[in-house]
Amino acid sequence: MQHLLFLYNPKSGKGLIKDHLSDAINYYSNKGYLTDVYATQSAGDGRKKVMEIGENYEKIIVSGGDGTLDEIVSGSIKAGIDPIIGYIPMGSTNDFSVSIDIPEDVNKAIELSVKDNPVEIDVGKFENKYFIYVAAFGSIAEVSYDTDQNMKNAFGRFAYILEGFKSLKNLKTYKMRVDLDGEIIEGDYMLGAITNSVSVGGFKGLMGKDVELSDGLFEVTLVKKPRTIIELNKIMAELGNENIKTKLIVSRKARKIKIESDDKIKWTLDGEYGGNYKLCQIEVINKAIKLNTGLR
């Protein structure tokens, strides 16, 4: 009988996984797994637990939001282990689950989590940290970790929009020098995102078209500060458009990114606080993890 580690975040979303724990364990038992269950106790606890005991399992299933999945992925990489990871999304927006085509139906997600046809997915390395689908900066990006969890649970992605509009009047720009695989871009930018996802913050189109999760490339989006309401409206319209035409938005693909700025920039990694940096280096680790997905 194979051993399976099931980690879940009881605070993600509305805590709905609690209503499905019995279903999940029963399904795994029926498939011949002896399941060890652990409820994460605080931020970073999932990462710590995987680093402590993850080597004892060929499969690790995680239930929670994208931030919880990030902990299990980064914990596996730091521990030097390569388990097959299953994901049952239970967060507020579940951006990454859209990219990897995981069903919204919980029972179908449970079934998919232990299928033996994983896809190798790229992971981003940000200094000595890791992220799965987005590293971002700027007032609107900060919303992802500044928004109260109860508000996220109640309003989902609408909570991000509400907080984003509240921040618009205080938009800050950063004078930056960005190296994208040798291409140098300089300017003042209010928002930036390095992504490996078809959806960020619940919005599709931000990353452009032809997004591939295993191609060794991440999408890079940099947004200049609008000088007028007309420019702001143009930016908002273009961020949802796969074919970005305005010069207010820089859109590229890159393997290695180096960002220097005059002031410290506050970063978010997969929706969680990632630290303040004047200089940071980001690179893609090609096909770093094995993840059960709905992709074919």
Side-chain angles (χ1 to χ4, degrees):
M1 179 173 283
Q2 295 185 66
H3 277 69
L4 178 78
L5 178 59
F6 182 85
L7 296 104
Y8 73 98
N9 183 346
K11 295 182 180 179
S12 285
K14 297 178 181 178
L16 293 177
I17 187 57
K18 298 173 186 177
D19 299 330
H20 297 275
L21 275 177
S22 179
D23 293 334
I25 296 169
N26 181 63
Y27 183 80
Y28 299 147
S29 296
N30 183 260
K31 291 297 180 180
Y33 294 99
L34 183 62
T35 305
D36 292 334
V37 181
Y38 183 80
T40 59
Q41 302 299 298
S42 59
D45 190 34
R47 181 183 301 106
K48 179 181 177 182
K49 188 57 62 177
V50 168
M51 293 178 69
E52 288 176 352
I53 64 174
E55 64 181 357
N56 300 317
Y57 305 90
E58 292 183 1
K59 285 189 177 76
I60 298 178
I61 311 301
V62 53
S63 179
D66 293 330
T68 309
L69 175 62
D70 173 279
E71 290 189 14
I72 276 56
V73 168
S74 60
S76 297
I77 294 174
K78 285 178 178 289
I81 60 177
D82 190 27
I84 294 175
I85 299 173
Y87 183 33
I88 303 171
M90 287 286 180
S92 303
T93 57
N94 301 317
D95 277 322
F96 194 61
S97 68
V98 175
S99 292
I100 57 178
D101 200 21
I102 292 184
E104 292 185 8
D105 182 275
V106 178
N107 288 323
K108 289 182 179 179
I110 290 171
E111 294 174 10
L112 179 62
S113 68
V114 287
K115 283 193 173 181
D116 285 316
N117 61 340
V119 174
E120 292 180 308
I121 302 290
D122 296 342
V123 170
K125 184 179 181 182
F126 184 102
E127 292 294 313
N128 63 343
K129 302 175 183 178
Y130 300 90
F131 64 96
I132 308 168
Y133 78 100
V134 61
F137 70 84
S139 297
I140 298 176
E142 293 169 15
V143 167
S144 59
Y145 54 80
D146 284 342
T147 305
D148 180 79
Q149 183 62 49
N150 291 326
M151 188 176 182
K152 291 182 185 179
N153 293 345
F155 297 105
R157 70 189 58 173
F158 187 57
Y160 295 95
I161 299 172
L162 289 176
E163 289 294 319
F165 279 126
K166 286 166 60 177
S167 302
L168 283 176
K169 63 181 180 180
N170 298 317
L171 285 178
K172 177 178 175 60
T173 58
Y174 300 93
K175 188 175 183 60
M176 304 170 64
R177 182 179 188 272
V178 183
D179 183 334
L180 303 173
D181 290 336
E183 179 188 2
I184 306 300
I185 296 173
E186 295 183 290
D188 297 326
Y189 297 96
M190 69 168 186
L191 177 66
I194 294 91
T195 60
N196 194 39
S197 174
V198 301
S199 174
V200 172
F203 297 99
K204 296 182 180 180
L206 173 63
M207 292 65 56
K209 58 183 179 179
D210 302 324
V211 174
E212 296 288 343
L213 305 184
S214 306
D215 62 357
L217 294 169
F218 277 5
E219 286 64 44
V220 180
T221 305
L222 299 170
V223 183
K224 295 181 179 179
K225 185 175 181 178
R227 293 168 297 178
T228 65
I229 293 296
I230 293 175
E231 286 190 348
L232 173 60
N233 290 336
K234 184 177 291 187
I235 288 172
M236 298 303 290
E238 290 288 338
L239 285 177
N241 186 350
E242 289 185 347
N243 297 302
I244 293 175
K245 298 177 182 178
T246 176
K247 293 182 179 180
L248 295 168
I249 302 174
V250 174
S251 182
R252 298 284 194 278
K253 292 178 182 285
R255 299 178 187 276
K256 291 186 177 182
I257 302 106
K258 181 179 178 181
I259 298 178
E260 300 175 77
S261 60
D262 289 353
D263 300 315
K264 281 189 175 182
I265 298 176
K266 186 186 293 185
W267 285 84
T268 172
L269 305 179
D270 291 337
E272 304 297 328
Y273 177 62
N276 290 347
Y277 297 86
K278 277 190 175 182
L279 171 65
C280 63
Q281 299 191 65
I282 305 158
E283 63 180 293
V284 180
I285 306 176
N286 189 216
K287 298 181 179 179
I289 59 168
K290 290 184 287 196
L291 191 63
N292 277 328
T293 76
L295 301 173
R296 295 180 182 178

